């Protein structure tokens, strides 16, 4: 079938919206008509080939839409179902079976391979040339996407479908880091470094689970203001003050938890150094491969923990419906982060996201 999709043809090049031919769904695939798709930092990292997914390529990994057709082996979803598309995992390795699909043995190939596991590519362009896809097993920057049963999460039909796509990656990453991974108790303290869409999702989640001190750190005063509206009890702009000194003063010596969402090694060090004993620092910011960090070994030795967190440690089939109920109850207002764009305006949406004007662009095909 003919579809419209945004294609990256060269490193650093703008997206071009093209007509492509998409394969028919195979027995284990579903065809989803996309109604909304969030733009995530990882899309830009791959456009710029920070991860070397082959080009030309259709990106997009925060899609939401309506199931149009299902292959013969698809059992749990049917045409007309509303779905949020999340990351891919195999379902049968030890980590998947242990409820940790974000750490699937084949996570990289399935999400960043640019093709199906058998090496086939799902699109042809107007000249009959193959175009890569299957990004996070969806490539949802288009009117339609081929996905699997495992990464299409059925959601209720009485919530705005076009809003829900970002739950599949960025929003669940920030919220899950708090709710699933760090699990701060009621009355605890946390410092969150970086208040983009991931950090602000963490702020909202920290408030929802009962943290009573939520310190947000960012260079952008506008974002800090929004962080306060969403639940931060204190904010720090590192340009104006000594961040560590201030966190220690505000928290009586250090916070119990911290979360690093900026990908900067110096910020990660602060996120560890600002902990009291014992304390746990979560790392969700993705830095270029090979990035190293300097830590005082004794800071960690004295009972502090540093742990990495992928996709918020979430099982999407379980966690995304939970976030939707939290949103419905008014306790997780992630709609405050969103601005809608037409798919044809994808380059404007990306520019607004990169400049920080907009926290979470959502494209509507
Ligand atoms: Zn697996
Ligand atoms: Zn993402």
């Amino acid at each position: 079938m003919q579809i419209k999709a945004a294609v990256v043809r060269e490193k650093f090049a703008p997206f071009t919206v093209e007509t492509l031919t998409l394969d028919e769904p195979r027995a284990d695939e579903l065809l989803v008509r996309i109604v909304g798709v969030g733009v995530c930092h990882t899309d830009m990292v791959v456009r710029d080939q920070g991860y070397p997914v082959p080009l030309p390529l259709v990106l997009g990994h925060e899609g939401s839409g309506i199931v149009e057709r299902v292959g013969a082996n698809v059992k749990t979803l049917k045409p007309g179902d509303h779905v949020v598309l999340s990351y891919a995992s195999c379902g049968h390795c030890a980590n998947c079976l242990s409820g940790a699909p974000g750490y699937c043995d084949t996570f990289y190939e399935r999400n960043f391979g640019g093709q199906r596991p058998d090496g086939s590519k799902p699109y042809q362009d107007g000249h009959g040339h193959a175009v890569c896809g299957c990004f996070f097993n969806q490539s949802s920057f288009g009117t339609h996407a081929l996905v699997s049963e495992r990464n299409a999460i059925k959601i209720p039909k009485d919530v705005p479908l076009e809003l829900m796509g970002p739950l599949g990656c960025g929003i669940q990453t920030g919220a899950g880091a708090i709710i699933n991974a760090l699990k701060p108790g009621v009355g605890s303290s946390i410092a969150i470094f970086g208040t983009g869409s991931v950090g602000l999702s963490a702020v909202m989640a920290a408030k929802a689970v009962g943290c009573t001190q939520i310190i947000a750190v960012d260079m952008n005063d506008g974002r800090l203001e929004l962080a306060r509206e969403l639940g931060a009890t204190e904010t720090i702009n590192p340009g104006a003050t000594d961040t560590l000194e201030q966190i220690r003063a505000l928290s009586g010596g250090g916070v119990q938890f911290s979360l690093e969402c900026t990908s900067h090694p110096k910020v990660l060090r602060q996120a560890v150094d600002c902990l009291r004993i014992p304390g746990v620092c979560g790392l969700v910011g993705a830095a270029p491969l090979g990035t190293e960090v300097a830590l005082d070994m004794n800071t960690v030795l004295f009972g502090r923990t540093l742990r990495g967190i992928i996709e918020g440690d979430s099982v999407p089939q379980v966690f995304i419906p939970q976030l939707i109920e939290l949103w419905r109850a008014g306790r997780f207002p992630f709609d405050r982060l969103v601005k809608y764009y037409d798919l044809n305006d994808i380059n404007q949406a990306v520019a607004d996201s990169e400049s920080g004007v907009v926290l979470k662009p959502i494209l509507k095909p």
Side-chain angles (χ1 to χ4, degrees):
M1 66 180 294
Q2 302 278 100
I3 70 153
K4 206 171 72 168
V7 181
V8 180
R9 291 215 162 256
E10 283 170 58
K11 186 175 177 174
F12 301 124
F15 293 88
T16 54
V17 177
E18 304 181 18
T19 299
L20 302 175
T21 305
L22 178 65
D23 289 353
E24 292 298 307
R26 294 182 175 183
D28 58 348
E29 290 178 336
L30 302 81
L31 177 71
V32 173
R33 181 169 65 79
I34 301 298
V35 304
V37 50
V39 174
C40 178
H41 177 67
T42 309
D43 294 306
M44 279 85 102
V45 172
V46 173
R47 175 200 61 189
D48 301 341
Q49 295 285 282
Y51 295 124
V53 186
L55 304 178
L57 170 69
V58 178
L59 289 166
H61 65 286
E62 291 186 348
S64 61
I66 301 171
V67 177
E68 262 193 7
R69 268 184 281 156
V70 301
N73 296 344
V74 172
K75 302 282 186 258
T76 59
L77 292 164
K78 58 181 190 311
D81 283 344
H82 288 192
V83 291
V84 166
L85 305 177
S86 191
Y87 64 91
S89 58
C90 77
H92 47 72
C93 72
N95 287 340
C96 281
L97 290 172
S98 306
Y103 307 96
C104 175
D105 286 353
T106 54
F107 187 92
Y108 191 85
E109 301 92 288
R110 285 173 187 276
N111 291 285
F112 295 95
Q115 55 194 15
R116 293 190 184 91
D118 71 0
S120 63
K121 298 180 175 68
Y123 309 101
Q124 286 194 323
D125 67 13
H127 306 287
H129 298 133
V131 174
C132 295
C134 309
F135 186 60
F136 281 71
N137 205 16
Q138 51 179 290
S139 290
S140 41
F141 284 168
T143 54
H144 294 79
L146 286 178
V147 308
S148 77
E149 215 168 357
R150 270 189 74 74
N151 76 318
I153 311 330
K154 189 174 171 177
I155 66 163
K157 286 191 176 171
D158 64 344
V159 294
L161 183 55
E162 68 279 5
L163 170 65
M164 298 295 159
L167 294 176
C169 184
I171 307 288
Q172 85 175 348
T173 292
I178 304 296
I179 296 171
N180 301 322
L182 296 180
K183 296 190 170 96
V186 170
S188 53
S189 56
I190 186 164
I192 293 165
F193 292 79
T195 54
S197 58
V198 172
L200 288 173
S201 299
V203 167
M204 289 185 278
K207 183 182 178 191
V209 301
C211 291
T212 43
Q213 182 166 51
I214 304 168
I215 303 172
V217 185
D218 201 292
M219 304 286 283
N220 181 323
D221 283 326
R223 288 183 180 193
L224 290 178
E225 197 179 316
L226 183 56
R228 278 193 293 274
E229 289 174 24
L230 295 175
T233 56
E234 285 110 356
T235 56
I236 298 174
N237 186 328
T241 183
D242 182 320
T243 305
L244 263 185
E245 231 172 64
Q246 207 180 337
I247 291 176
R248 287 177 181 146
L250 288 169
S251 60
V255 284
Q256 291 163 286
F257 298 91
S258 63
L259 188 68
E260 201 303 300
C261 312
T262 74
S263 320
H264 289 295
K266 283 186 177 158
V267 178
L268 176 57
R269 170 147 194 173
Q270 287 186 336
V272 172
D273 287 350
C274 76
L275 294 170
R276 73 173 60 171
I277 299 173
V280 185
C281 171
L283 166 62
V284 297
L289 295 178
T291 305
E292 298 191 353
V293 63
L295 293 173
D296 184 329
M297 287 175 68
N298 290 293
T299 305
V300 179
L301 178 68
F302 277 89
R304 295 181 181 88
T305 303
L306 167 60
R307 59 156 302 187
I309 305 163
I310 292 290
E311 294 283 352
D313 271 11
S314 59
V315 177
Q317 284 83 348
V318 176
F319 193 51
I320 288 174
Q322 289 174 342
L323 289 178
I324 289 174
E325 292 314 310
L326 211 51
W327 172 80
R328 210 201 283 271
R331 296 171 61 192
F332 188 68
F334 73 97
D335 51 290
R336 299 272 315 267
L337 313 183
V338 160
K339 184 179 175 190
Y340 292 103
Y341 294 79
D342 191 277
L343 177 65
N344 292 312
D345 299 325
I346 182 170
N347 292 308
Q348 187 62 49
V350 166
D352 289 350
S353 170
E354 288 181 319
S355 69
V357 179
V358 175
L359 288 155
K360 177 55 76 181
I362 292 182
L363 306 170
K364 300 205 320 186

